[in-house]
Amino acid sequence: MKVFPLVFMFFLVTNLAHSQAEIKGVVNDSSQVAIAYANVVLSKANGEAISGTVTDENGRFKIQAISGDYKLSISYIGYETNTKNITLAESLDLGVITLYPSRNELDEVVISSRKNLIEKKVDRLVFNVENSISASGGDVTDILKVAPYLRLKNDEIIMLGKSNMRVLVDGNFINLSGDDLTNYLKSIPSEEIKKIEIITNPPAKYEAEGNSGLINIIYKKGVRNSWRSSVRGTYTQYTYPDGNIAGSFRYRKNKTSLYVNGSYDKGSKQITDTNEFEFEDQLWDSENPRRVFYDNSVSARIALDYQWNDKLASGFQYQLGYDDTRIENKNDRTNIINKATSAIDSIVVSQSKITQSSPLHSLNFHSSYQLDSIGKNISINLDYFTFIDNSSRVYNSSNFFDNGQETPNSFNAGKNDGRQNVDNYSFKADVEYPLEKIDLNFGGKLSFINTNNDVSFFDTTSGAPILDINQTNQFEYRETNTALYVSASKSFNDKWSAKVGLRFENTTTEGVSRQLNQTNENDYLKLFPSAYINYVPSEDHIFSLSYNKRISRPAFEYLNPFRITQNPYLLIEGNPFLQPSFSDNLEFTYIHKQNWVSSLYFSQIKDGFGQILSVDNQTGVRSVVPQNYYDSYTVGLTESYTFNKLKGWESVNTLNINYRYTEALLSFINDKRNGVNTYISTSNSFVLNDNRTIISSIDAWYNFAGVYDIYKTSSSSSVDVSFKFFFLKRDLQLTITGSDLFKGQITEVTAFSNGVRTTYENYYDSRRLRVSLRYSFGNKKIRVNRKDFGNEDEKERTGN
């Protein structure tokens, strides 16, 4: 703990003196609401402009100049210009500067200036949605597929070069995944989105969890006394039909802001896994088709905020996620083939049914207090969430000769019952503390996690359930995380800016297995540095360099020493000795003329973990156990070019190529894997008529054959075509989309285990036809304050 006073001293004493004085202040409207992107111009007495800037999201600005007499002008469209005569001898704080509406302003007309499509801040890339054709109609997923670094595969958001993806909306983490997250994002009309912040290397303020990037979806700001609502219905034809209804409501009056969103989904998909296991004298060829039913999938979010005065604001958020899922597998078939004769020696046929219900409740209270008029602010978050996973799996299996006759005494049946309960309490505090020379940001977080896991196995071969105590276990897991961080940012001039940060995290864990009478404890302390530097010689050229260190902690269920029997030949187990993995990430980015983004990156992962397959080459029994099984090194290049020179056509084209080298940490898998991965994509939007009521899009991507960790992967591809039709002054929208038209999203993965070549080929029903109808109404002027909640790291590890 003694390291942090030293860190603070380091940032304070290394702040270099500057020969110029600084003028700073905050620009608000008459309701004391910050005005972002107001123009601030500093001129000499004769009217010659010598410097200028725009206000940030919080209305703050800073200008540096030498001593003298000046005129400072602050202007924004729809407001009267505020002009001040100032004498500058030393740094000057002007406090709050108020702009009043222009007398010629029309109440129902919203005028906005046009910003560059792509901007680069010191620690993130900003994609200004309102300048993209993809923002004309559609929803948030339409925007994400054309934003730099991002792609959409099977409705999953992926950041190129990262292992997973975290999503924020207005600074708030969204604790949903899979179809729940997709349905939530599809309920947000793209016209309501101002910009997307893409954070490939998150700074010290955010948890160091995961080798992942962040995207922050930011709503447009409107005026008080406004409301906006939308309802949407979607029919999707996979192999089987699926239906979804969703709605959202936004309201702001005086000091109160309210947001409500809900989604309900019901339907099913067909998922097919094909596996091969090549033993010395036999080939096991398996096909596992299963139908996944989403009987009741509900997500909801309500957020209420209140501005007590011009300094104090507070609010709460409640989020609900609930899934009722059934998975039915009526024909899991494995052909055991004699390699010498190519004849079938025997056939294993299994049937199974899984039922699962997973409610999640999350509650957050947040408050912020403005310490002064130039941006000093303190915010706190109190969070609680609980997640329960109830599951039951029944199966039966028999062996057959090649003539169809059942092998005597081969029938086997069983039942797995499981319950996982996760509770988390956390407290988080953040302080923004701008000084004369640098902007400081510091804070901390304290989190307590308790999980209880109960897994039981019953042998039902005889027809009566018999408890198997060797496959039954109660596991309790407790974890405490303590984190402190500090970061400092500085603009040296209009060309150079930098940011450095350091995060300290201490984690203690205790896992207790009642069945094994075993306790496992961990206590580790780590430092996570981050650094960023930007150089902007002109508007057409932007250079940036960033670095950070990250940690990935195991999901709670991975640490439970349970065993689940899928069938007599497939066992799934936990591992209480699993350790976290660590990664280092370095990235250099160049942006040319706001439409060409080039990124060169390097990533190193130590002690990478995941579920790894172990094959007994004598019995054919396969065990899936999470283990720390690899170290990997990746160097890559991403190129993204946006073409929008022709009226009515916008094309976003991406190339990602990387070289990955992986060393295995376990003796029974292939010792290393290296190779080149290449991904190309193009996303094109077309305006088909003069009044812009018909828009089409054609999107395509191709993944070349490559490698991933210890695995070799085949090529895959997808082609999507979409049409959007607008009616009733664009308030009613009809969208028709065909996805993965050529059924190319099938990937074959190959690896070795105990000398046995294993091959997997999975297809997740990605070819589909979707028809969506959305109606929006209200006065179309929205403003919602941004909040950053405190326990998102822990929620992610539940798998939801």
Side-chain angles (χ1 to χ4, degrees):
M1 295 300 292
K2 294 181 180 180
V3 69
F4 268 83
L6 296 177
V7 172
F8 275 95
M9 290 296 294
F10 171 81
F11 284 119
L12 292 176
V13 301
T14 56
N15 180 27
L16 300 177
H18 201 283
S19 60
Q20 294 179 318
E22 186 177 68
I23 307 167
K24 57 186 176 182
V26 178
V27 179
N28 286 351
D29 63 16
S30 56
S31 300
Q32 295 306 303
V33 175
I35 298 177
Y37 309 116
N39 293 311
V40 182
V41 178
L42 187 67
S43 306
K44 293 182 179 179
N46 61 8
E48 178 187 354
I50 63 167
S51 184
T53 186
V54 295
T55 57
D56 64 14
E57 293 287 340
N58 299 308
R60 296 183 296 179
F61 70 88
K62 293 180 182 179
I63 291 181
Q64 292 178 335
I66 61 175
S67 299
D69 295 326
Y70 299 101
K71 179 186 292 184
L72 187 72
S73 298
I74 301 97
S75 62
Y76 190 74
I77 295 176
Y79 291 84
E80 301 284 353
T81 299
N82 189 318
T83 302
K84 293 180 177 293
N85 294 316
I86 60 174
T87 297
L88 186 63
E90 57 184 13
S91 293
L92 182 63
D93 179 5
L94 298 176
V96 176
I97 301 171
T98 302
L99 297 187
Y100 294 93
S102 171
R103 296 173 183 174
N104 296 324
E105 181 188 12
L106 299 178
D107 290 340
E108 294 303 319
V109 177
V110 177
I111 304 174
S112 61
S113 59
R114 184 175 179 86
K115 296 177 62 64
N116 290 323
L117 181 65
I118 298 172
E119 294 180 286
K120 184 68 175 74
K121 295 186 177 181
V122 68
D123 60 354
R124 65 198 63 195
L125 192 73
V126 179
F127 182 67
N128 289 303
V129 173
E130 51 198 331
N131 295 343
S132 172
I133 291 178
S134 299
S136 179
D139 53 57
V140 170
T141 60
D142 293 304
I143 300 169
L144 296 179
K145 68 183 181 184
V146 298
Y149 296 107
L150 303 180
R151 59 178 286 202
L152 225 64
K153 180 181 180 182
N154 288 334
D155 283 339
E156 179 187 1
I157 305 164
I158 297 173
M159 181 175 287
L160 296 173
K162 299 296 179 180
S163 58
N164 52 50
M165 186 73 259
R166 303 289 304 277
V167 179
L168 302 90
V169 174
D170 275 343
N172 306 328
F173 279 96
I174 302 302
N175 306 308
L176 301 171
S177 62
D179 290 336
D180 291 334
L181 177 61
T182 299
N183 289 329
Y184 171 78
L185 296 177
K186 283 183 174 296
S187 71
I188 304 175
S190 57
E191 290 92 343
E192 295 185 12
I193 303 303
K194 180 180 182 63
K195 60 186 177 182
I196 305 290
E197 293 182 342
I198 303 165
I199 310 171
T200 54
N201 283 340
K205 177 180 179 179
Y206 299 101
E207 281 82 2
E209 169 66 30
N211 181 29
S212 63
L214 305 175
I215 58 173
N216 186 19
I217 301 166
I218 298 178
Y219 277 93
K220 291 179 180 178
K221 295 184 177 181
V223 297
R224 298 176 185 271
N225 302 320
S226 61
W227 66 280
R228 180 70 170 160
S229 187
S230 69
V231 292
R232 178 177 64 91
T234 302
Y235 173 84
T236 304
Q237 182 64 52
Y238 300 94
T239 300
Y240 305 101
D242 180 276
N244 173 267
I245 56 173
S248 65
F249 175 75
R250 290 183 169 271
Y251 172 76
R252 176 159 184 160
K253 183 175 177 62
N254 300 325
K255 298 180 179 182
T256 303
S257 298
L258 175 67
Y259 172 72
V260 181
N261 174 276
S263 174
Y264 176 80
D265 189 86
K266 186 178 179 65
S268 62
K269 294 179 182 179
Q270 178 79 9
I271 297 176
T272 303
D273 296 337
T274 303
N275 308 315
E276 280 189 359
F277 303 92
E278 186 174 355
F279 298 92
E280 183 176 351
D281 56 353
Q282 289 182 329
L283 177 67
W284 290 38
D285 185 359
S286 302
E287 186 176 64
N288 176 15
R290 56 194 185 276
R291 186 174 178 181
V292 181
F293 294 84
Y294 304 98
D295 292 329
N296 291 290
S297 181
V298 179
S299 65
R301 176 172 172 250
I302 179 171
L304 178 66
D305 289 276
Y306 188 78
Q307 187 78 36
W308 299 94
N309 51 47
D310 59 350
K311 292 186 176 182
L312 179 63
S314 57
F316 82 93
Q317 173 182 265
Y318 169 73
Q319 188 168 315
L320 165 69
Y322 181 82
D323 289 302
D324 241 346
T325 307
R326 284 182 295 133
I327 304 176
E328 295 185 357
N329 180 353
K330 297 182 178 180
N331 188 23
D332 184 341
R333 178 187 176 100
T334 300
N335 294 325
I336 302 177
I337 302 170
N338 188 304
K339 292 175 64 176
T341 64
S342 298
I344 295 178
D345 285 344
S346 62
I347 303 169
V348 182
V349 178
S350 302
Q351 295 181 340
S352 65
K353 181 179 179 180
I354 302 173
T355 58
Q356 186 174 23
S357 63
S358 305
L360 180 147
H361 301 274
S362 173
L363 184 63
N364 164 272
F365 170 79
H366 51 269
S367 186
S368 64
Y369 184 76
Q370 195 83 15
L371 299 174
D372 60 19
S373 61
I374 60 170
K376 293 178 182 176
N377 180 78
I378 181 169
S379 61
I380 62 170
N381 284 274
L382 299 173
D383 289 271
Y384 168 74
F385 86 84
T386 179
F387 170 70
I388 300 174
D389 184 10
N390 294 304
S391 63
S392 178
R393 184 183 190 278
V394 295
Y395 78 91
N396 63 74
S397 176
S398 294
N399 290 19
F400 295 85
F401 296 111
D402 60 345
N403 60 7
Q405 182 179 356
E406 185 174 359
T407 304
N409 302 317
S410 66
F411 180 76
N412 183 281
K415 179 183 180 183
N416 276 113
D417 289 332
R419 177 182 175 88
Q420 181 188 55
N421 193 341
V422 181
D423 289 296
N424 169 245
Y425 304 85
S426 70
F427 170 78
K428 183 172 180 283
D430 299 283
V431 178
E432 297 177 16
Y433 204 85
L435 300 173
E436 184 175 342
K437 303 295 184 181
I438 61 175
D439 286 342
L440 281 179
N441 186 216
F442 55 90
K445 176 182 174 181
L446 185 61
S447 173
F448 303 94
I449 301 167
N450 292 294
T451 74
N452 288 282
N453 303 267
D454 191 349
V455 177
S456 301
F457 177 76
F458 299 88
D459 189 328
T460 60
T461 303
S462 64
I466 301 173
L467 179 66
D468 185 344
I469 60 173
N470 293 321
Q471 300 188 62
T472 297
N473 190 30
Q474 289 181 320
F475 182 68
E476 298 172 4
Y477 177 79
R478 289 177 289 276
E479 179 178 294
T480 301
N481 290 305
T482 305
L484 296 172
Y485 76 90
V486 61
S487 66
S489 58
K490 180 176 178 64
S491 295
F492 299 95
N493 50 46
D494 59 353
K495 294 183 179 180
W496 287 94
S497 61
K499 183 175 184 177
V500 292
L502 188 64
R503 188 176 183 91
F504 159 99
E505 292 194 2
N506 185 68
T507 303
T508 60
T509 69
E510 181 185 63
V512 179
S513 171
R514 298 302 181 190
Q515 184 66 28
L516 302 178
N517 193 25
Q518 173 181 296
T519 299
N520 297 286
E521 296 180 345
N522 268 317
D523 188 343
Y524 50 91
L525 183 155
K526 295 292 181 180
L527 295 177
F528 300 93
S530 58
Y532 312 84
I533 187 167
N534 265 19
Y535 174 59
V536 187
S538 69
E539 186 176 335
D540 291 341
H541 304 279
I542 302 174
F543 301 87
S544 67
L545 182 66
S546 65
Y547 164 79
N548 73 356
K549 188 177 186 67
R550 309 280 289 174
I551 182 174
S552 292
R553 296 183 179 89
F556 303 129
E557 63 178 349
Y558 278 7
L559 299 168
N560 180 4
F562 64 86
R563 171 178 286 185
I564 293 178
T565 303
Q566 295 281 73
N567 59 54
Y569 297 97
L570 180 58
L571 307 175
I572 300 177
E573 301 181 42
N575 179 8
F577 302 102
L578 197 63
Q579 297 295 309
S581 67
F582 297 90
S583 63
D584 294 272
N585 304 279
L586 182 67
E587 182 175 42
F588 173 77
T589 302
Y590 168 65
I591 302 176
H592 179 63
K593 291 187 176 180
Q594 307 298 325
N595 58 5
W596 193 305
V597 181
S598 299
S599 177
L600 181 65
Y601 60 91
F602 170 79
S603 179
Q604 171 185 272
I605 299 176
K606 290 291 187 179
D607 295 321
F609 62 81
Q611 289 183 310
I612 194 74
L613 179 71
S614 174
V615 180
D616 187 322
N617 53 21
Q618 299 298 319
T619 65
V621 174
R622 308 181 300 274
S623 298
V624 179
V625 183
Q627 300 203 50
N628 298 94
Y629 70 92
Y630 72 92
D631 291 338
S632 72
Y633 310 85
T634 303
V635 58
L637 175 69
T638 298
E639 299 284 347
S640 177
Y641 177 69
T642 301
F643 176 82
N644 52 10
K645 304 299 182 182
L646 299 180
K647 182 180 179 181
W649 178 28
E650 178 182 72
S651 179
V652 180
N653 304 277
T654 301
L655 165 69
N656 177 254
I657 183 169
N658 66 71
Y659 172 80
R660 176 172 291 187
Y661 175 80
T662 300
E663 294 179 345
L665 304 178
L666 303 176
S667 60
F668 63 86
I669 58 179
N670 41 288
D671 59 348
K672 64 181 179 179
R673 179 77 73 181
N674 65 288
V676 176
N677 301 292
T678 304
Y679 165 83
I680 57 174
S681 71
T682 181
S683 180
N684 301 270
S685 297
F686 305 91
V687 179
L688 301 183
N689 61 345
D690 291 338
N691 57 4
R692 303 173 67 88
T693 58
I694 304 177
I695 297 176
S696 70
S697 65
I698 301 176
D699 308 314
W701 58 262
Y702 188 88
N703 248 340
F704 292 84
V707 299
Y708 179 77
D709 296 342
I710 63 167
Y711 305 100
K712 182 179 180 181
T713 61
S714 69
S715 61
S716 59
S717 62
S718 183
V719 176
D720 303 345
V721 177
S722 176
F723 290 91
K724 303 173 188 174
F725 303 91
F726 299 90
F727 311 94
L728 303 179
K729 298 182 179 181
R730 302 180 67 85
D731 286 334
L732 181 65
Q733 175 188 318
L734 172 66
T735 303
I736 303 173
T737 304
S739 300
D740 193 17
L741 298 181
F742 301 103
K743 202 175 181 179
Q745 292 192 40
I746 301 177
T747 302
E748 184 179 272
V749 178
T750 304
F752 287 85
S753 176
N754 284 328
V756 178
R757 184 180 66 86
T758 62
T759 303
Y760 315 90
E761 188 177 88
N762 305 322
Y763 180 63
Y764 293 97
D765 220 3
S766 57
R767 183 162 63 178
R768 62 183 182 269
L769 175 67
R770 174 173 288 161
V771 180
S772 177
L773 191 66
R774 187 182 72 229
Y775 180 64
S776 302
F777 51 98
N779 61 12
K780 303 183 182 181
K781 298 179 180 180
I782 310 298
R783 184 187 184 97
V784 176
N785 292 330
R786 296 194 298 167
K787 300 295 175 189
D788 183 14
F789 297 157
N791 64 342
E792 316 308 328
D793 174 22
E794 293 78 11
K795 295 176 186 176
E796 181 73 9
R797 294 167 63 199
T798 67
N800 286 268

